[in-house]
Amino acid sequence: MRIRTLVYYFREAFLSIFRNSWLSLAAVGTVTISLLILGCSLLLVVNTDRLADQLESSLEISAFLKDGLKQEEIRELNDKIRFLPGVVQVQFISKEEALEEMRRSFGPRKEILDGLEEDNPLPDTFRIKTRRADQVVEVARKVASMDGVEDVRYGQGVVERLVVVTHWVRVAGIGAMILVGTAAVFLISTTIRLSVFARRREIGIMKYLGATNWFVRFPFLIEGMVLGLLGSLLAAALVYTGYLSLVEHMARAMPFIPLVSDGQVLFRLLAGLVGLGLFIGALGSAISIHRFLNV
């Protein structure tokens, strides 16, 4: 592609933007608002995933064993549990270790437990962790059916609710992406369509003189991409400054809820917003000019 042709494409694109300044501002504003909502939705999903991961890492299954099991039977149970699908960690806690843990948790009131060493009521226990929260229920069910296991506890009810909430937050995030993306594409498409309509006679002459579809299409593609880029840069700046302010406020007000502040995560998210803005602009332009050239 020659430099002169490239200069022509960009000149025509920017002339069209300034010629339809109010529509261009409306398109940029729509992209900004759409991607701002999208960015907030993505940050909500990222932080929900982070919180879910922290909760998942603290989830564990406690399998209480029957009294009187031999060491060989305990080792066999350990091997069976370790090879269950989804299990990542199995820890055996003897009744003596369990009593010592309880003594430490009682702190200065540990004297209450004096005398239990001779007749320890606590059972031997396996503490089991799974790779994902949605595997806890199935693993617990399989462990409960094994010989030698008296009872299984895993926070029944909490795990199921955690899985459901995480799932619907992700679904809502994807739904928001689709809705705001569609709205932005529609408005940019409308803006480009009006620009094409205003230049329909010029385009008709160009086609009559032998201009290819790509020669006609390129300035409008650039116009749409510029509008999408401007809107996405503005949205990224607003998301970045607003989120940093929120992180600082939450760190002071509610430090027990750590928000994602990893620079690489934020950079990838903001870069994704800018890239999406370019794509939305190009797609809106492509839809409009394709319909016009077909007609």
Side-chain angles (χ1 to χ4, degrees):
M1 184 182 295
R2 290 182 299 181
I3 298 296
R4 185 184 301 174
T5 306
L6 197 59
V7 170
Y8 167 79
Y9 289 156
F10 277 93
R11 186 182 71 242
E12 290 299 311
F14 281 99
L15 281 174
S16 180
I17 289 172
F18 288 111
R19 190 182 299 125
N20 303 295
S21 56
W22 287 109
L23 270 175
S24 298
L25 282 174
V28 170
T30 301
V31 173
T32 300
I33 294 170
S34 300
L35 294 184
L36 183 61
I37 296 170
L38 177 59
C40 293
S41 301
L42 287 174
L43 285 171
L44 176 63
V45 170
V46 168
N47 280 285
T48 303
D49 280 347
R50 167 83 172 270
L51 181 61
D53 287 341
Q54 290 179 342
L55 291 173
E56 286 175 8
S57 65
S58 65
L59 288 175
E60 64 179 18
I61 302 165
S62 294
F64 304 111
L65 307 185
K66 294 178 180 178
D67 286 333
L69 290 182
K70 299 177 181 178
Q71 288 299 315
E72 182 63 30
E73 292 174 311
I74 292 174
R75 279 195 294 271
E76 288 179 6
L77 265 175
N78 182 77
D79 291 338
K80 287 180 181 178
I81 295 171
R82 192 175 298 276
F83 287 103
L84 286 175
V87 172
V88 293
Q89 182 181 335
V90 180
Q91 182 184 12
F92 175 71
I93 307 295
S94 67
K95 57 172 62 182
E96 292 77 18
E97 291 172 327
L99 181 60
E100 187 59 33
E101 284 185 1
M102 183 176 289
R103 198 184 293 278
R104 285 196 297 270
S105 69
F106 271 56
R109 295 184 298 164
K110 62 184 178 181
E111 292 82 8
I112 299 174
L113 304 176
D114 289 346
L116 290 180
E117 295 86 352
E118 298 177 2
D119 188 18
N120 189 344
L122 301 176
D124 293 328
T125 307
F126 280 117
R127 291 178 183 167
I128 307 156
K129 289 193 175 183
T130 59
R131 185 170 288 105
R132 301 191 312 273
D134 58 1
Q135 296 172 320
V136 168
V137 177
E138 181 62 20
V139 170
R141 186 185 63 79
K142 290 180 179 178
V143 172
S145 66
M146 294 180 179
D147 292 334
V149 176
E150 181 73 33
D151 191 19
V152 171
R153 302 287 174 84
Y154 61 89
Q156 288 90 331
V158 175
V159 173
E160 289 86 348
R161 285 195 291 271
L162 174 63
V163 172
V164 170
V165 169
T166 305
H167 169 74
W168 281 111
V169 167
R170 288 169 179 158
V171 169
I174 294 171
M177 288 174 59
I178 294 172
L179 286 175
V180 298
T182 302
V185 168
F186 174 77
L187 191 63
I188 287 182
S189 174
T190 302
T191 304
I192 301 299
R193 191 179 299 120
L194 289 172
S195 179
V196 171
F197 183 78
R199 297 175 57 195
R200 64 192 182 282
R201 185 168 297 177
E202 177 187 344
I203 293 171
I205 293 172
M206 290 167 62
K207 290 288 292 178
Y208 181 76
L209 294 175
T212 64
N213 283 345
W214 272 110
F215 187 85
V216 174
R217 186 180 286 128
F218 244 101
F220 297 107
L221 285 175
I222 294 172
E223 180 182 350
M225 291 175 71
V226 168
L227 295 175
L229 178 63
L230 291 174
S232 62
L233 287 174
L234 187 54
L238 291 172
V239 168
Y240 181 72
T241 54
Y243 185 69
L244 285 187
S245 176
L246 177 64
V247 169
E248 292 177 6
H249 178 74
M250 290 291 287
R252 291 193 302 268
M254 289 183 280
F256 54 89
I257 304 180
L259 297 180
V260 174
S261 56
D262 186 353
Q264 288 187 344
V265 173
L266 293 178
F267 175 78
R268 286 198 297 268
L269 189 145
L270 296 175
L273 285 182
V274 173
L276 185 60
L278 282 169
F279 173 75
I280 286 173
L283 181 61
S285 298
I287 291 172
S288 293
I289 193 66
H290 178 75
R291 287 178 179 173
F292 180 83
L293 291 177
N294 281 351
V295 173

